[in-house]
Structures are given as structure tokens and as C-alpha cells.
Amino acid sequence: MNPPDTIVRLRALLRDSRRITCLTGAGMSTESGIPDFRSTRGLYASGVSEEVFAIRAFERDPGMFYTFARTFLRDTLNAQPNAGHRALAALARLPGKDVRVCTQNIDTLHQAAGSPEVYPLHGTLQTAHCRVCGERTESAALWPEIAAGRVPRHAGCGGVMKPDIVFFGEPLPPDAWEASARAAAAADLFLVAGTSLAVYPAAGLPALRAPACRLVILNRTATPLDGEADLVLHASIAETLEQAIGGG
Ligand code: CNA
């Protein structure tokens, strides 16, 4: 729960800002039923190893990723935007607002909610490509193989299919990174929502903001940037953004 004055302050900051850049993380989508990494009920606490998301491990044993993906892919492909995603999309529709969403999420829920400018820093789980011939397909088409406990392979060349997400050890997509860096530098309000700020380079984006840019942190647990923020809200993203913006 937010003390009422923090919602008033958040509303005022949003009202007085024109260029609003957001950095969102997995906490944005926990209220859509997708677990995050580092919460007490997140994937790491439930025994999923960081190795599952390491490109070296995927190259060695893609089966390890696909065993995990049987539930994660199903949950993610079935998830719907929550009030937080809808509020950010509504904010972008307000006259005079230029809202950019730099997201570490791979679930495309910001896009589904209607946010017009979304930069997916870690790619998307919606599509996959063949590691040998490069052909791309919808991940949903791979679901029967994954659900049956097999590693999905390209029907023609037999290459292993890899989701279009950025694994640990892979570079970020340059277009999403460059657009995010530009948006961070141009912002007059930088909103961090639902990220522990533990994964670089995405976690370095707030540091690219201009000196006069205000910083708001909206995250259930403390982050390394709380001390330099103009406003910190340790609360539910969906509830807070719905209260502050509406749109839900
Ligand atoms: P993280 O390290 O798990 O941090 C999430 C943060 O969100 C934590 O600090 C939580 O306290 C906070 N949080 C969780 N739920 C809420 C909520 N409802 N309201 C407010 N705060 C909340 O995740 P990061 O995004 O920082 O780590 C980056 C990784 C996670 C990226 O590589 C992502 O691709 C990856 N990831 C993405 C998804 C997704 O797309 N939905 C899911 C799981 C992991």
C-alpha cells in the first residue's frame, strides 16, 4: 500500500513531465502471472538456475532450457497485460506526453497493452529462429514438441530452434539499446518499474539521464538507485500506476 501523499507526488511528477522514459523489468508482469527472477516467489527461489538462461549452457544442452520452458513459455504465451501495462499505455495517449518504454521483459505485454514506443532490450519469447539456417517461426508453433519434452528442431534442416531472447552472454539488440540510450538521455522523468537493477547493461540506463531529469523508483523491494531517486514507492506496480494514471 502506498501512503496517499506518494500517489499525489507521483501524479504531480507525471503531470509536470513531457518526456517520460521507463525502464521496466520482470516485476511489471508478476501481476499477469509470470514469475520474476529475484522475488521470494521468483524463478531463482523456486530452484531454476541462472545457467538455464546462459548461452553457453543452451549451446551445450538446449534440453535444459526447454524443460524449464514447458511451464514458463506456456505461462508467458497465455499472459495478458495487467493494470500497470495498461496505465503506461494510457499515459502515452495523454496529450503532450512522449513516453518510451525500455523493457527487459520478453513477454511483449507492453506492446499488447498498446504502448506505442517499446524497446525490447532482451528480445521476445514470441518468436524463435533456427540456429543453423536462421529461419524464424512463431514460438507457439513449437509448443507441441516442447510440451512433449523434446527440443524443437527446424523441420527442414534439423537445426535446434532458439527463442529470440537475449541469453546471458549474448549482446543486446543494437537498435533497442540505442533507442533506449537516446530515450534515457532525452527524458525529463525516468521511471524504473519492477526491476532489481541487477542485470547490465540495462541497469545502467538510468545513469544516462540528464542531471535535471527526475528519477522515480517503483519496485516492491529496495534497489541500488533508491538513494538517488526523487520518489521511491515500494508497492505493487499495477495498483500504483492504476491509482496514479488510471487507464485500466
Ligand atoms: P528481477 O531481478 O526478478 O527483479 C524483479 C523486481 O521486481 C524485484 O526487485 C521485485 O521486488 C519487483 N517486483 C516483483 N513483482 C512486483 C510487483 N508486482 N510490483 C512491484 N515490484 C515488483 O527481474 P529483472 O527484470 O530486474 O531482471 C532482468 C531479467 C529478468 C531480464 O533478463 C528479463 O528478461 C528476465 N525475466 C523476464 C520476465 C518477463 O518477461 N516477464 C520474467 C522473468 C524474468
Side-chain angles (χ1 to χ4, degrees), residues 26 30-31 37-38 104 106-107 122 195-196 219-221 237:
T30 54
E31 289 164 287
F37 276 172
R38 294 180 179 80
Q104 299 166 85
I106 53 178
D107 54 34
H122 293 165
T195 170
S196 59
N219 202 62
R220 271 208 179 114
T221 51
I237 296 172

Side-chain angles (χ1 to χ4, degrees), residues 16-35:
D16 297 342
S17 306
R18 203 173 78 73
R19 292 170 176 267
I20 302 170
T21 295
C22 312
L23 172 63
T24 67
M28 191 81 218
S29 298
T30 54
E31 289 164 287
S32 292
I34 305 175

Side-chain angles (χ1 to χ4, degrees), residues 1-85:
M1 268 289 270
N2 286 297
D5 66 312
T6 57
I7 294 293
V8 172
R9 288 179 63 203
L10 178 57
R11 276 201 199 112
L13 283 166
L14 292 167
R15 184 196 60 221
D16 297 342
S17 306
R18 203 173 78 73
R19 292 170 176 267
I20 302 170
T21 295
C22 312
L23 172 63
T24 67
M28 191 81 218
S29 298
T30 54
E31 289 164 287
S32 292
I34 305 175
D36 64 5
F37 276 172
R38 294 180 179 80
S39 286
T40 46
R41 279 188 280 169
L43 294 169
Y44 291 162
S46 69
V48 175
S49 147
E50 270 195 43
E51 272 282 286
V52 166
F53 307 100
I55 190 61
R56 285 236 181 105
F58 184 86
E59 282 164 348
R60 204 171 47 239
D61 175 16
M64 183 171 75
F65 173 79
Y66 281 111
T67 301
F68 156 76
R70 279 167 77 173
T71 45
F72 188 75
L73 183 65
R74 186 201 57 207
D75 291 350
T76 304
L77 294 182
N78 289 334
Q80 299 298 322
N82 63 51
H85 298 104

Side-chain angles (χ1 to χ4, degrees), residues 89-105:
L91 183 65
R93 290 193 295 271
L94 293 177
K97 301 289 183 207
D98 180 353
V99 179
R100 313 283 166 125
V101 180
C102 317
T103 188
Q104 299 166 85
N105 293 346

Side-chain angles (χ1 to χ4, degrees), residues 94-222:
L94 293 177
K97 301 289 183 207
D98 180 353
V99 179
R100 313 283 166 125
V101 180
C102 317
T103 188
Q104 299 166 85
N105 293 346
I106 53 178
D107 54 34
T108 62
L109 292 182
H110 286 298
Q111 295 92 324
S115 279
E117 288 290 332
V118 183
Y119 310 132
L121 290 160
H122 293 165
T124 170
L125 207 49
Q126 294 286 328
T127 56
H129 68 276
C130 172
R131 296 285 274 168
V132 176
C133 72
E135 195 184 332
R136 195 153 261 123
T137 184
E138 294 291 316
S139 298
L142 309 176
W143 179 244
E145 283 295 285
I146 298 168
R150 290 188 286 270
V151 170
R153 291 181 174 273
H154 186 264
C157 76
V160 169
M161 300 298 293
K162 176 186 174 287
D164 290 331
I165 61 175
V166 176
F167 280 62
F168 291 129
E170 290 190 298
L172 303 195
D175 48 350
W177 172 256
E178 282 155 21
S180 295
R182 275 196 303 273
D188 49 26
L189 179 70
F190 199 115
L191 170 66
V192 172
T195 170
S196 59
L197 294 173
V199 177
Y200 280 80
L205 279 172
L208 302 182
R209 72 192 189 280
C213 174
R214 304 299 187 97
L215 177 65
V216 174
I217 309 269
L218 169 53
N219 202 62
R220 271 208 179 114
T221 51

